[in-house]
Amino acid sequence: MDQAEQGGRGVAVIEQPAYTGFGFSDGEWGLLVGLPQSVLTAASAAESDGTRRTMAETAAGLETISAGRESASPLVAAVAGEIVTRVGDPETGAELPVIAPDDPRALIDDVLQRAGQAAALLAGRVDEGEAGAYKHWLVKIAEQVVGAASSGGLLGIGGESVSDSERRFRDRLAHVLTD
């Protein structure tokens, strides 16, 4: 609303960030917004797949993040919208860079620790439905990433759709989020 809409009183209306409506601080919102991409990266790093497979995993993860904008959960929709605003919309051709962490185990441990922090934060701030929707969305991101490209095999033939290390990450994530 500009000054004319305010009756010329010179009152500036400051738009509040989305997270204030949920009762989160800037840092807390940063945790919730950063975690989906971190889950994507950790799920992809759980198995060294090569660039082509990693690109497929990244694309699947970004599509799942983007689809969160259509969630019935206002929290998931807001977080997904914020992420797409920052990194781009896969529907318009946006792609995330392929990230190959130097220490995949350390990355995975860090993501699992932050997932636990997010679960505790949500438990204290939002109702069970909102918290459950967010946590389910994170696990779905991991599932889509680990299932996007088979591991092993030769020249893309054979192999398993989800490796033991990928399954272990997904299961550990689900466990951390429900504990």
Side-chain angles (χ1 to χ4, degrees):
M1 204 177 306
D2 63 17
Q3 286 183 347
E5 292 169 331
Q6 286 288 322
R9 294 185 300 241
V11 176
V13 177
I14 299 171
E15 188 175 320
Q16 294 294 314
Y19 60 82
T20 60
F22 295 103
F24 296 116
S25 70
D26 185 50
E28 292 165 338
W29 187 248
L31 171 67
L32 297 176
V33 170
L35 196 52
Q37 279 183 268
S38 296
V39 165
L40 184 165
T41 302
S44 182
E47 182 72 36
S48 179
D49 291 319
T51 303
R52 186 181 57 78
R53 290 182 180 124
T54 301
M55 287 174 63
E57 291 170 343
T58 301
L62 184 56
E63 286 176 19
T64 307
I65 289 170
S66 176
R69 294 178 296 175
E70 305 300 321
S71 175
S73 161
L75 175 62
V76 171
V79 170
E82 177 95 11
I83 295 168
V84 170
T85 297
R86 291 179 184 185
V87 302
D89 189 342
E91 292 177 15
T92 62
E95 294 180 10
L96 289 175
V98 172
I99 298 171
D102 292 333
D103 187 349
R105 297 292 139 226
L107 170 71
I108 288 169
D109 290 343
D110 176 64
V111 169
L112 293 172
Q113 177 194 15
R114 287 189 289 137
Q117 291 170 344
L121 171 65
L122 292 171
R125 295 288 175 80
V126 298
D127 66 44
E128 259 183 61
E130 286 294 324
Y134 179 85
K135 294 185 288 188
H136 175 77
W137 181 51
L138 291 179
V139 173
K140 185 173 182 177
I141 293 165
E143 286 175 346
Q144 293 300 312
V145 169
V146 301
S150 62
S151 298
L154 182 62
L155 299 174
I157 301 169
E160 52 190 335
S161 60
V162 179
S163 72
D164 288 340
S165 58
E166 290 170 328
R167 188 175 298 108
R168 193 168 31 256
F169 170 73
R170 182 200 57 213
D171 293 349
R172 287 177 66 198
L173 177 65
H175 179 76
V176 164
L177 292 170
T178 57
D179 247 4

